Amino acid sequence: MARYAPYSLDSIDCSFNEISQVSNLSQHKFLRSLCLRSNKITKVEGIAANKTLKILDLSENEIEDIEGLDGLNLTELYLSSNKIQVVKGLSKLERLRVLDLSSNEISLLGGLVQLISLRTLLLCKNKIRHIRQLGSLENLAYLSIVDLCYNPIQERRYYRLQVLNKLPMLKTLDGTEVSPE
């Protein structure tokens, strides 16, 4: 993919290509942002050595399992519009602040418990049904923005109040600012 690119690159955008596999990008020691949106990637690989990488966008691909991210220092991770059913493989991303898992097939949130720096969590258009699933987010002290739009959970009576009771630290829920009630 970026085999012949200069070694001092800090940003690579290879969106909207037919890329199905990421080759070894370890020679790009200063890479901070990698955008691989709208490709045909099924597996996260080739970036494990990129310790300076902060922003990774793998939205609109064909990823089923979140893996290959251990050891990275990501602050933003975009995985919307993939085929993810189970949230796992994120536990070592202690610096992650923004996580977009919108438009997947997620129903359980247990794999988010250890994301202690998380501030923004986008989970629109998934299969989250139960308020109890939000228990995995209760101890994320910095979490202030959550979007659960277009999930079955939204159909619950008193949905907003239940979510805010479970996650009182939120400042924005579903794109609407939380007012003191």
Side-chain angles (χ1 to χ4, degrees):
M1 179 188 72
R3 202 174 347 172
Y4 304 106
Y7 294 124
S8 61
L9 284 178
D10 72 345
S11 181
I12 297 174
D13 188 342
C14 290
S15 300
F16 302 99
N17 285 286
E18 298 287 317
I19 298 169
S20 59
Q21 188 176 17
V22 179
S23 60
N24 184 353
L25 296 176
S26 62
Q27 70 270 23
H28 302 289
K29 293 178 176 29
F30 304 106
L31 188 62
R32 295 182 48 83
S33 176
L34 177 59
C35 186
L36 296 166
R37 170 181 230 113
S38 292
N39 282 292
K40 296 185 178 199
I41 298 168
T42 57
K43 187 175 182 182
V44 181
E45 55 191 357
I47 59 170
N50 295 92
K51 304 300 182 196
T52 59
L53 190 62
K54 301 291 182 206
I55 302 167
L56 177 59
D57 189 346
L58 289 163
S59 299
E60 301 170 30
N61 277 286
E62 298 172 13
I63 297 167
E64 292 182 16
D65 295 314
I66 305 169
E67 56 191 1
L69 301 175
D70 289 352
L72 294 179
N73 294 308
L74 296 176
T75 58
E76 298 179 26
L77 177 58
Y78 301 92
L79 289 167
S80 66
S81 300
N82 275 285
K83 298 176 180 177
I84 300 166
Q85 294 180 337
V86 177
V87 180
K88 62 181 181 179
L90 299 172
S91 62
K92 304 256 175 62
L93 299 179
E94 297 172 352
R95 293 189 173 118
L96 196 63
R97 292 178 175 215
V98 177
L99 178 59
D100 186 354
L101 290 169
S102 300
S103 299
N104 279 288
E105 300 169 20
I106 298 166
S107 59
L108 303 174
L109 303 176
L112 301 173
V113 173
Q114 295 173 309
L115 299 180
I116 57 173
S117 298
L118 197 62
R119 286 160 169 72
T120 301
L121 178 60
L122 307 176
L123 289 164
C124 315
K125 298 181 183 175
N126 275 288
K127 296 180 178 179
I128 301 162
R129 296 188 176 285
H130 305 286
I131 295 291
R132 69 177 172 265
Q133 288 304 319
L134 302 179
S136 301
L137 309 177
E138 286 179 307
N139 294 321
L140 302 181
Y142 299 109
L143 188 63
S144 59
I145 299 171
V146 171
D147 197 335
L148 294 165
C149 284
Y150 306 107
N151 276 281
I153 194 174
Q154 267 197 317
E155 297 167 13
R156 296 184 61 87
R157 189 172 184 183
Y158 305 115
Y159 152 78
R160 189 170 174 83
L161 288 175
Q162 288 182 55
V163 171
L164 293 175
N165 185 46
K166 198 81 152 159
L167 304 172
M169 70 289 221
L170 294 184
K171 292 183 174 39
T172 304
L173 174 61
D174 299 338
T176 304
E177 195 171 312
V178 173
S179 60
E181 298 170 16

